[in-house]
Amino acid sequence: MALCLKQVFAKDKTFRPRKRFEPGTQRFELYKKAQASLKSGLDLRSVVRLPPGENIDDWIAVHVVDFFNRINLIYGTMAERCSETSCPVMAGGPRYEYRWQDERQYRRPAKLSAPRYMALLMDWIEGLINDEDVFPTRVGVPFPKNFQQVCTKILTRLFRVFVHVYIHHFDSILSMGAEAHVNTCYKHFYYFIQEFSLVDQRELEPLREMTERICH
């Protein structure tokens, strides 16, 4: 896995800079707390629970940014194997097809290749998490009233990355020796969205059997 990540980082345009938390801020402290819990070997179901006395929006914000970084990295490791030719449609097997819609170029749901969908998705999420009106970083600035709805949309779309990667690129995961890493990230993500009911259960259906096997 380490070799693969080095190879990926060597490609300047594959990754956008990681979104980081400013040292000294409350969110940075929450991020450190979450990371420490992960590294301590605690059960992932326990790790995702809101710590006593903490603000739920701060806790969700920290995790959304972290999952964005992690899932962007996972997809990036196999981006060369996900091409316009190999994946002409953003899908999760023959039963599920995901269409892209945004407020700029694609105002109606559009059928796109998986790599095009992924590029638009990562740009869209990056734009949101760097928008001070959506993810405020200044002390005393409140989150918008629709913050959790925005996070639901982000997490729903990030879940689709897992769907595509597991169903269409699992051989790549295995060949890179990354199965344990990807599974752990998925379980962390799954327990988090379940803890706070952030993704509609119907969206989880494509990976239901796998989830029952590794998360229960």
Side-chain angles (χ1 to χ4, degrees):
M1 182 64 177
L3 176 61
C4 293
L5 295 186
K6 286 180 183 177
Q7 291 171 342
V8 168
F9 283 126
K11 304 182 181 96
D12 294 338
K13 296 184 180 179
T14 303
F15 290 103
R16 43 193 55 73
R18 287 167 60 92
K19 170 74 174 180
R20 297 187 183 278
F21 304 101
E22 290 297 323
T25 63
Q26 180 183 14
R27 213 160 299 157
F28 180 72
E29 295 305 316
L30 270 181
Y31 174 72
K32 287 200 301 183
K33 183 183 295 186
Q35 293 301 303
S37 296
L38 273 177
K39 293 173 183 177
S40 70
L42 288 174
D43 178 74
L44 288 172
R45 287 187 182 89
S46 302
V47 166
V48 300
R49 292 174 189 149
L50 180 67
E54 298 294 353
N55 177 276
I56 187 171
D57 285 341
D58 275 316
W59 188 242
I60 290 174
V62 163
H63 282 81
V64 167
V65 173
D66 192 39
F67 287 135
F68 166 68
N69 286 331
R70 291 170 183 268
I71 295 169
N72 184 35
L73 178 61
I74 287 170
Y75 178 71
T77 60
M78 56 200 65
E80 283 190 344
R81 309 184 193 197
C82 183
S83 67
E84 301 282 338
T85 303
S86 67
C87 303
V89 177
M90 175 57 182
R95 293 180 57 197
Y96 300 95
E97 179 179 304
Y98 301 119
R99 300 197 173 192
W100 181 258
Q101 185 175 19
D102 56 34
E103 296 179 354
R104 295 181 180 179
Q105 186 175 359
Y106 298 97
R107 293 182 177 273
R108 294 182 179 180
K111 185 175 183 177
L112 302 175
S113 68
R116 176 64 177 154
Y117 184 102
M118 297 294 188
L120 289 167
L121 172 60
M122 298 308 175
D123 284 343
W124 173 74
I125 296 175
E126 185 180 33
L128 286 171
I129 64 179
N130 286 314
D131 185 340
E132 283 288 328
D133 291 331
V134 183
F135 280 74
T137 58
R138 298 186 299 277
V139 176
V141 178
F143 287 93
K145 292 181 179 179
N146 68 336
F147 178 69
Q148 290 190 26
Q149 291 96 312
V150 171
C151 289
T152 285
K153 192 167 185 178
I154 291 173
L155 293 167
T156 297
R157 287 179 163 182
L158 282 175
F159 183 82
R160 295 171 181 178
V161 180
F162 277 120
V163 173
H164 184 75
V165 166
Y166 270 118
I167 293 177
H168 294 272
H169 299 291
F170 191 68
D171 287 347
S172 297
I173 295 173
L174 293 176
S175 67
M176 291 187 293
E179 182 181 8
H181 171 78
V182 176
N183 284 351
T184 297
C185 184
Y186 176 75
K187 288 165 70 175
H188 186 198
F189 182 92
Y190 174 78
Y191 290 139
F192 183 80
I193 62 175
Q194 291 292 84
E195 176 72 14
F196 299 102
S197 301
L198 290 167
V199 175
D200 191 298
Q201 294 300 304
R202 292 171 295 183
E203 284 283 344
L204 308 181
E205 188 62 23
L207 296 181
R208 179 176 55 82
E209 292 184 6
M210 185 201 76
T211 302
E212 290 175 350
R213 190 167 65 251
I214 71 173
C215 295
H216 295 286

